[in-house]
Amino acid sequence: MTRPWLVVIDPQRIFADPASDWGSPMWPDAAAVIVDLLPRYAGRTVVTRWVPPRRRPGSWEAYMAAWPFAGRPPTDPAFALVDALVGVDAVVVDAPTFGKWDALRPVVGETPELVLTGVATDCCVISTALPAADAGATLTVLTDACAGSTPENHAAALQVLGLYPPQITVCTSAELPPAVPPE
C-alpha cells in the first residue's frame, strides 16, 4: 500500500472571505476538517493556490472580464492562504487554472493516491479530480472537507464525482480508511 497525499485546493482568502464574490459559505466547516487532517498527512501534504493567468488566452479573456476583481497581481492579499494554513508542513504550488493536476503531478508522481479537500467543489476540486483520475491517480474526495460555491453546487459536483468509481471515491473524513504508516 502507498501512503496517500493530502491535497488542499485553493485555501485562499478570496474563497474564504464571506464578503468576496467568490467566498464560499461552506468554507469555515471544511477548513476545520482540513486542519484536523493535517497531522495525519505530515510530509505528504500539498496546498494549491489559484493565481490569475498572466496571459488571458481564449475563454480566460471573457472569464477575467466577467470577474475583474480577480485580475489583481498574484501577490495581492486576496490570494494569500488563509491564516489556518500559513506555515503548515506542505508543498505549496500555484496554478493559473481551475484544475491543479498539471501542477500536482511533479510533486505527487504519475499515479498517486490523493485525498482531495478544498474549495470550490464545483470548480477547482472537480477540475482537478477528473484529469487526475483520467491520468491514473486514485482519489478520495472528502465531502466534509470541501466547500462549494453554494450547498447546491457542492452537492451537484459530488454527484458527478460519484460517477467515477473506483477511480474516485466520495466519502466523509470519518469514513476514511486507517492511515498507512510511514515506510
Side-chain angles (χ1 to χ4, degrees):
M1 291 181 77
T2 61
R3 291 182 58 225
W5 289 84
L6 177 67
V7 178
V8 185
I9 298 174
D10 302 350
Q12 296 165 265
R13 292 179 182 171
I14 197 165
F15 303 113
D17 182 353
S20 169
D21 286 342
W22 285 354
S24 168
M26 304 175 71
W27 177 250
D29 292 336
V33 174
I34 292 166
V35 168
D36 286 345
L37 289 167
L38 289 171
R40 183 174 178 172
Y41 297 92
R44 292 185 67 81
T45 301
V46 182
V47 173
T48 70
R49 279 186 348 124
W50 181 83
V51 293
R54 282 185 226 146
R55 287 186 45 243
R56 294 184 169 96
S59 65
W60 279 108
E61 185 175 330
Y63 185 85
M64 297 306 288
W67 301 101
F69 70 92
R72 305 172 197 167
T75 55
D76 187 282
F79 300 116
L81 297 178
V82 295
D83 291 344
L85 292 172
V86 171
V88 299
D89 178 18
V91 176
V92 178
V93 296
D94 292 352
T97 54
F98 298 141
K100 303 303 187 291
W101 175 240
D102 288 343
L104 289 170
R105 186 185 346 229
V107 177
V108 300
E110 292 296 318
T111 57
E113 185 176 339
L114 305 175
V115 176
L116 293 187
T117 66
V119 65
T121 318
D122 47 305
C123 185
C124 295
V125 173
I126 198 168
S127 296
T128 300
L130 295 180
D134 200 38
T138 302
L139 295 102
T140 301
V141 177
L142 298 182
T143 61
D144 56 342
C146 288
S149 60
T150 67
E152 297 79 16
N153 290 344
H154 173 74
L158 293 174
Q159 183 175 4
V160 169
L161 290 164
L163 298 173
Y164 289 85
Q167 291 171 298
I168 301 175
T169 299
V170 177
C171 68
T172 67
S173 59
E175 296 169 321
L176 271 175
V180 175
E183 297 170 357

